[in-house]
Amino acid sequence: MNTGTTAQAVGVHIDRVTQLQDSIDEQCQMLFNSLGYLHRKAGMAQVAPDIPITQQNMNSASRDEFSARTQEIANDICCQAKKIDALIDSLPGVSVSESDQEREFAELGKEDEAATRELEEAGNEARALLKEISSTLREIADNAGKQASSPNAANVVV
């Protein structure tokens, strides 16, 4: 079992999920901005002959500019959707059977348990070293206090 390769593969999968999340966020932002643009720049149009236009949108774009910009927005949204589809297709598990996924999860669980044991052992070692260092420092402090209170301490030149 090569844990390094599996860990790298998991990292790549997580990276793809993050990319997918970012791409979906980006598309939501594009949709939001496009609705804002349409609302701000659309010219008023009469939709029924018996209902006149009573107020013009002073910030509206020309028909040609508006048409070109909306086409550009639509193309950007479509490209983003294709990017999202490609990321979804590249995710692990899309073409992997359920039993293969279960095996991979079991393997990852074993690696997690091993890493947890290593972490606990390192923590125990660190606590033991801390205890040893504290004891040594306490001993040094005690010895320094004894030397300072001894009658020959005044004759010692440092």
Side-chain angles (χ1 to χ4, degrees):
M1 174 170 76
N2 187 351
T3 58
T5 303
T6 303
Q8 288 171 344
V10 169
V12 169
H13 300 326
I14 291 171
D15 188 46
R16 287 186 191 146
V17 171
T18 302
Q19 287 175 345
L20 179 60
Q21 289 170 331
D22 291 345
S23 293
I24 291 170
D25 287 344
E26 189 176 330
Q27 185 165 35
C28 288
Q29 190 69 40
M30 291 170 115
L31 292 168
F32 179 79
N33 290 338
S34 65
L35 288 174
Y37 176 81
L38 294 173
H39 177 72
R40 285 186 316 276
K41 297 296 183 175
M44 299 295 180
Q46 191 168 356
V47 293
D50 56 332
I51 302 174
I53 298 174
T54 59
Q55 187 178 8
Q56 290 292 327
N57 181 357
M58 297 306 201
N59 295 324
S60 66
S62 69
R63 284 193 185 276
D64 291 338
E65 180 186 342
F66 186 76
S67 179
R69 181 69 180 121
T70 54
Q71 186 63 43
E72 182 183 333
I73 290 170
N75 287 338
D76 290 346
I77 290 171
C78 288
C79 287
Q80 189 67 19
K82 287 179 184 178
K83 180 180 172 183
I84 290 170
D85 286 342
L87 285 168
I88 289 170
D89 290 340
S90 73
L91 288 174
V94 173
S95 61
V96 179
S97 71
E98 189 175 333
S99 62
D100 288 342
Q101 288 179 9
E102 288 173 357
R103 273 194 297 278
E104 186 173 349
F105 282 132
E107 184 177 323
L108 289 172
K110 289 177 185 175
E111 289 177 16
D112 184 48
E113 288 173 6
T116 300
R117 281 192 301 273
E118 286 180 29
L119 182 61
E120 287 173 354
E121 289 172 8
N124 290 338
E125 271 185 51
R127 281 186 285 281
L129 285 172
L130 178 62
K131 191 175 184 179
E132 186 177 326
I133 290 170
S134 294
S135 174
T136 303
L137 288 174
R138 195 171 299 117
E139 207 175 290
I140 291 171
D142 288 345
N143 287 340
K146 288 178 187 175
Q147 286 180 353
S149 64
S150 73
N152 293 333
N155 296 334
V156 176
V157 177
V158 180

